[in-house]
DNA sequence: ACCTTTTCTGAAAACCTTTTCTGAAAACCT
DNA sequence: AGGTTTTCAGAAAAGGTTTTCAGAAAAGGT
């Protein structure tokens, strides 16, 4: 059986208060007893019970994290950053993979609440009203990582998607491309759909290129969908010379499609991605892309959540981290 | 403030025992009071406190998971499987990324213990003696996922690495290759290093090919290391026509190296990987590889841990799940 | 030597739940 | 109607810790 503070007290011939003090304020107990207690702790392998402590401190030093799709490598960097920040703050992470399933997400909020997490980090995906209400219901502090919610005042940390997309497309234009297609996220229910599309349009507009809505095609989140979307897009528009893909995974889907149909990238077509996931530099060709500081977004988001938990508020509500154009091999001068 | 059972009791004009009963054995309390209590619960948004419950039930319904490197996509499938199994069992997962750091790993075992996880899943990586002792010290039930420990009697679920490697190399041989190099994990401190190397040797031996120790090169776990290892290997052995890479990530490293030096795969060199991570079918060329049922390994490992926790023992100690050769584009007839 | 302050320790309450035990009321039986 | 069983609800203990409070002993001051 696990040993308790009582066992330690008995073994060391002191009261439990003394044992507790040895652990929490060692200098208030006289040396002689202190060493006896320490010895007892060592012998009995005593470790305080987190439940009992939680009951008193009313906190678990645990943070809940919602990930929409853990197989998407984009989240790996995010998680690493969060983890490192958590370690620094002496906290633990409870991670849950929602699979973008509403029921599951809401069920997890409840679990988190019952397990007394101190707060929740919500990554990517747009914040449905239901989620928001669920969080409000339980009054759980939470922050948004790699997404934001324009309609609510919720702390968030992400990047400027529109600006990133703008720079990506601008890069293509500066390379001489004029017929530029896009593989976008669906516009409605996805958070980076709108702004990245807006950035694309903005760049075209700025360089006086007419935007033809034919030249955009939509895909859900995965490689396969982008592959299929490419098929539809190229069937419709044959004169495209470059593609702006809303994510690196999409870019890989596009390139795979092109390769399967005998068009090499970047010789016959330039493709730029978004995110700079680790695979971007492992892929052949290495992807030109917009780098997101995923590690930092993760790190900052737990710092921010911690700030929110301890202060009840947050110094800056919506935090935008810097992105960066990374030029590799998948784009070239026309 | 969070409402407690006391608040509900007061609101519903009953004792706290009754409230508790409504939640845990509803049919032992008369209808009239039951609805009042239910109503109070709804109004006050009451949710029982996990700490208090944990104190009584002596369990948290939470499992700890150790992942060596969360950025390695291999673990994504594993985690999904674990998560799904956990949801089915009404448990939560506390995931920690060890970065293969001993101090951090041990610190995490302590945290897990204090937070009263019911058990731990240890993934990949070999089980150092220190870890084993730490687990013993705390008497925490644990299982090994995607690794095993020949020297200890610990429940594990993984695949037959040697057989998998054997089949991979056999495939190469059947394709007509005779000069087959290998990019291996380091032999000493890594769990799949030895058996995959053994499988490689076994296949060569079986087909009467002399095994030249020159033709193997070692790399740590990542793409970059495999890239560098390729450089060393090809500098030494120029007549190789095929490579057995100990992981898909290694295979991608090898292929990238070859591509950067003008040798296309599979035309000039066949490369086979191991794992069948999601990227294997996204890569160009798509990787021929040995499929590991990562999802199932994850799923089974939490089932197994649960079995161990509830029964104190486990029906089958070392569980081997089936692997499978998946032929794609990175290998071809010589 | 006596009084005051400081240091140190233990008892007990508090945190929130579940569960056992006990007793009151209701239901059942003859 | 009287006695027995069953149903139901509340009081209280238990689970392991921290912390407040009070008191005893030691130290300090005159």
């Amino acid at each position: 059986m696990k040993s308790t503070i009582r066992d330690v007290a008995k073994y060391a011939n002191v009261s439990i208060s003394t044992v507790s003090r040895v652990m929490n304020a060692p200098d208030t107990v006289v040396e002689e007893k202190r060493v006896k207690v320490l010895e007892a702790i060592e012998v009995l392998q005593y470790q305080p019970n987190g439940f009992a402590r939680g009951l008193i401190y009313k906190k678990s030093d645990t943070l809940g994290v919602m990930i929409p799709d853990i197989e998407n490598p984009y989240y790996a960097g995010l998680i690493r950053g969060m983890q490192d920040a958590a370690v620094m703050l002496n906290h633990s992470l409870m991670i849950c993979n929602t699979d973008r399933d509403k029921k599951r997400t809401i069920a997890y909020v409840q679990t988190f609440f019952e397990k007394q997490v101190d707060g929740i980090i919500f990554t990517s995906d747009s914040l449905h009203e239901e989620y928001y209400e669920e969080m409000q219901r339980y009054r759980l502090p939470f922050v948004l990582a790699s997404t934001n919610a324009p309609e609510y005042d919720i702390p968030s940390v992400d990047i400027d998607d529109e600006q990133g997309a703008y720079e990506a497309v601008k890069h293509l234009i500066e390379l001489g491309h004029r017929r530029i297609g896009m593989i976008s996220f669906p516009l409605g229910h996805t958070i980076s759909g709108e702004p990245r599309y807006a950035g694309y349009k903005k760049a075209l507009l700025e360089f006086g290129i007419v935007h033809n809505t034919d030249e955009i095609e939509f895909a859900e989140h995965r490689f396969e969908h982008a592959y299929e979307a490419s098929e539809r897009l190229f069937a419709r528009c044959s004169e495209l010379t470059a593609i702006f893909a809303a994510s690196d995974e999409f870019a890989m889907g596009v390139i795979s499609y092109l390769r399967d149909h005998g068009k090499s990238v970047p010789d016959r077509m330039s493709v730029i991605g978004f995110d700079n996931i680790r695979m971007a530099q492992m892929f052949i060709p290495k992807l030109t892309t917009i780098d997101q500081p995923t590690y930092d977004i993760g790190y900052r988001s737990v710092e921010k959540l911690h700030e929110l938990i301890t202060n009840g508020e947050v110094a800056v509500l919506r935090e935008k981290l810097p992105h960066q154009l990374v030029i590799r091999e998948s784009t070239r001068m026309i």
Side-chain angles (χ1 to χ4, degrees), chain A residues 100 125-126 147 184-195 219 221:
Chain A
R100 297 198 169 79
D125 250 11
S126 50
T147 179
S184 168
F185 292 121
L187 258 26
H189 57 283
T190 193
I191 193 67
S192 29
E194 300 276 8
H221 306 272

Side-chain angles (χ1 to χ4, degrees), chain A residues 119-137:
Chain A
I120 293 187
I121 295 179
F122 204 93
T123 64
S124 281
D125 250 11
S126 50
L127 182 72
H128 294 93
E129 207 182 322
E130 289 111 297
Y131 300 163
Y132 178 73
E133 277 168 8
E134 200 68 9
M135 305 293 213
Q136 287 302 105
R137 231 154 75 81

Side-chain angles (χ1 to χ4, degrees), chain A residues 55-219:
Chain A
L55 213 43
I56 289 169
Y57 291 135
K58 293 175 186 318
K59 58 182 187 139
S60 57
D61 287 352
T62 302
L63 272 19
V65 180
M66 305 278 201
I67 303 280
D69 173 10
I70 200 142
E71 287 197 274
N72 185 328
Y74 174 78
Y75 297 104
L78 224 49
I79 294 178
R80 278 204 63 212
M82 291 184 193
Q83 175 94 36
D84 283 1
V87 166
M88 182 218 32
L89 294 168
N90 253 303
H91 280 225
S92 311
L93 256 32
M94 233 154 95
I95 295 171
C96 110
N97 179 233
T98 65
D99 268 342
R100 297 198 169 79
D101 179 313
K102 262 187 196 170
K103 268 219 196 91
R104 193 163 183 166
T105 307
I106 290 186
Y108 246 98
V109 175
Q110 287 181 17
T111 306
F112 281 161
F113 182 75
E114 197 199 315
K115 300 219 167 142
Q116 312 286 128
V117 300
D118 300 335
I120 293 187
I121 295 179
F122 204 93
T123 64
S124 281
D125 250 11
S126 50
L127 182 72
H128 294 93
E129 207 182 322
E130 289 111 297
Y131 300 163
Y132 178 73
E133 277 168 8
E134 200 68 9
M135 305 293 213
Q136 287 302 105
R137 231 154 75 81
Y138 292 122
R139 295 206 200 70
L140 271 172
F142 69 114
V143 310
L144 270 19
S146 183
T147 179
N148 64 72
E151 60 273 38
Y152 308 114
D153 277 351
I154 299 172
S156 63
V157 11
D158 63 348
I159 62 161
D160 186 335
D161 277 299
E162 178 170 342
Q163 179 65 17
Y166 166 79
E167 286 168 28
V169 177
K170 187 175 164 206
H171 168 68
L172 258 17
I173 295 172
E174 287 173 347
L175 250 24
H177 295 280
R178 289 296 171 270
R179 305 302 299 263
I180 302 172
M182 173 170 182
I183 304 285
S184 168
F185 292 121
L187 258 26
H189 57 283
T190 193
I191 193 67
S192 29
E194 300 276 8
R196 293 192 191 168
Y197 178 49
Y200 164 75
K201 281 190 298 189
K202 185 178 161 202
L204 294 187
L205 183 70
E206 188 170 309
F207 287 84
I209 302 172
V210 292
H211 167 46
N212 182 345
T213 50
D214 257 17
E215 296 174 349
I216 179 165
E217 189 54 65
F218 301 93

